[in-house]
Amino acid sequence: MIISKAYKNILLIKPVTSLGLLNFFTILIILLTKFCLITDELYYQSLDEKFSIDQITQLLNVQSKYEFASYILLVTFNLLKYGCITLILYIGIIIFGLKVKFNNVLKVVILAEFIFLIPLVLKFFWFYFFQSNYTLEDLQFFYPFSLLNIFDTGTISQIWVYPLQLLNIFEVIYWFFLAFGIKQLINSDFDKSLRLVLSSYLPAMLLWVVFIMFLTVTLNPNI
């Protein structure tokens, strides 16, 4: 099959190279969003009812000062994320009685993560070309093709924002893409690979969502 052969050729790329490209495009889209959409004027317009002009100016200065550090933290967090997902899938593979190199599973995870660049691009194009009148809150809560978009964010508790954002079409595509990649590694049928992914990744994702909800309640006791 042409797609399988092409995918296996892509898997020959070193993880460092794939990871570098993934981080490059992620930061590129974030920078485009920052410079084209999240202007200083937007901050003043969106926060003028909650903070004074001096406070908003101070906030912008702090963000500018630590902007580079924020990208370092983003890359570090992503590395931990990819490592954890790889470990979870690797444990699932062992439980299924299969033998695959950890490094190859990491390659599959990194390739699957490219899917999440799509909603970032769609978000940029949506606000840049279609919804020109927006606030910081609109940018924060908008996630293409997620359940959150069918709710009025002003009427739901903040505790449900992250779970509803996470339930989106790209997350589901991600599961199938992981399963497709695992299928290439274990030389098995797709159903078995999908069961492996769903039985290992989904429970871990659920625990992560519960943890984020717990943090949200802990840090915002007035919710």
Side-chain angles (χ1 to χ4, degrees):
M1 187 176 179
I2 297 177
I3 297 178
S4 296
K5 289 183 178 179
Y7 187 87
K8 288 182 178 179
N9 288 332
I10 295 175
L11 285 179
L12 296 176
I13 301 174
K14 294 181 178 179
V16 174
T17 302
S18 300
L19 186 60
L21 289 173
L22 179 59
N23 285 324
F24 171 77
F25 286 116
T26 300
I27 293 177
L28 177 62
I29 298 171
I30 291 174
L31 287 173
L32 283 174
T33 301
K34 173 179 171 56
F35 289 111
C36 296
L37 299 180
I38 311 177
T39 61
D40 290 355
E41 182 182 358
L42 179 64
Y43 271 94
Y44 286 110
Q45 291 177 347
S46 301
L47 302 177
D48 62 347
E49 295 183 359
K50 297 180 179 179
F51 303 98
S52 66
I53 293 179
D54 290 340
Q55 288 176 319
I56 298 174
T57 301
Q58 184 178 6
L59 173 63
L60 290 171
N61 290 336
V62 171
Q63 284 188 341
S64 177
K65 181 179 180 180
Y66 295 102
E67 182 177 0
F68 180 76
S70 67
Y71 296 128
I72 298 298
L73 287 174
L74 174 64
V75 172
T76 302
F77 175 80
N78 284 340
L79 287 174
L80 291 173
K81 173 189 172 183
Y82 308 150
C84 288
I85 294 174
T86 302
L87 180 60
I88 290 167
L89 292 175
Y90 186 70
I91 292 174
I93 290 172
I94 293 176
I95 292 174
F96 270 62
L98 303 169
K99 291 185 178 181
V100 175
K101 291 182 179 180
F102 184 90
N103 194 51
N104 288 335
V105 181
L106 178 60
K107 291 180 181 180
V108 169
V109 170
I110 294 175
L111 288 177
E113 288 290 331
F114 276 89
I115 291 172
F116 293 121
L117 294 178
I118 300 174
L120 293 179
V121 173
L122 291 178
K123 181 177 182 176
F124 173 81
F125 276 93
W126 175 258
F127 285 104
Y128 190 79
F129 291 105
F130 300 103
Q131 186 178 338
S132 57
N133 185 21
Y134 55 86
T135 65
L136 281 174
E137 191 175 70
D138 293 331
L139 287 172
Q140 178 185 358
F141 292 135
F142 181 82
Y143 198 100
F145 303 106
S146 72
L147 287 182
L148 184 61
N149 291 333
I150 67 177
F151 293 95
D152 181 358
T153 54
T155 62
I156 62 174
S157 173
Q158 290 185 10
I159 193 175
W160 295 109
V161 170
Y162 180 73
L164 291 174
Q165 279 183 332
L166 191 61
L167 293 173
N168 61 80
I169 187 64
F170 300 103
E171 182 66 36
V172 176
I173 294 174
Y174 178 73
W175 303 342
F176 282 90
F177 204 84
L178 284 177
F180 178 78
I182 296 297
K183 173 182 180 296
Q184 308 308 312
L185 297 181
I186 66 177
N187 294 317
S188 181
D189 58 275
F190 182 78
D191 289 343
K192 183 176 182 179
S193 301
L194 184 59
R195 289 197 306 272
L196 190 156
V197 170
L198 295 182
S199 62
S200 56
Y201 175 75
L202 283 190
M205 187 184 74
L206 180 60
L207 288 175
W208 173 254
V209 170
V210 171
F211 174 69
I212 294 298
M213 294 175 73
F214 172 77
L215 283 183
T216 302
V217 173
T218 302
L219 298 176
N220 298 275
N222 294 326
I223 292 179

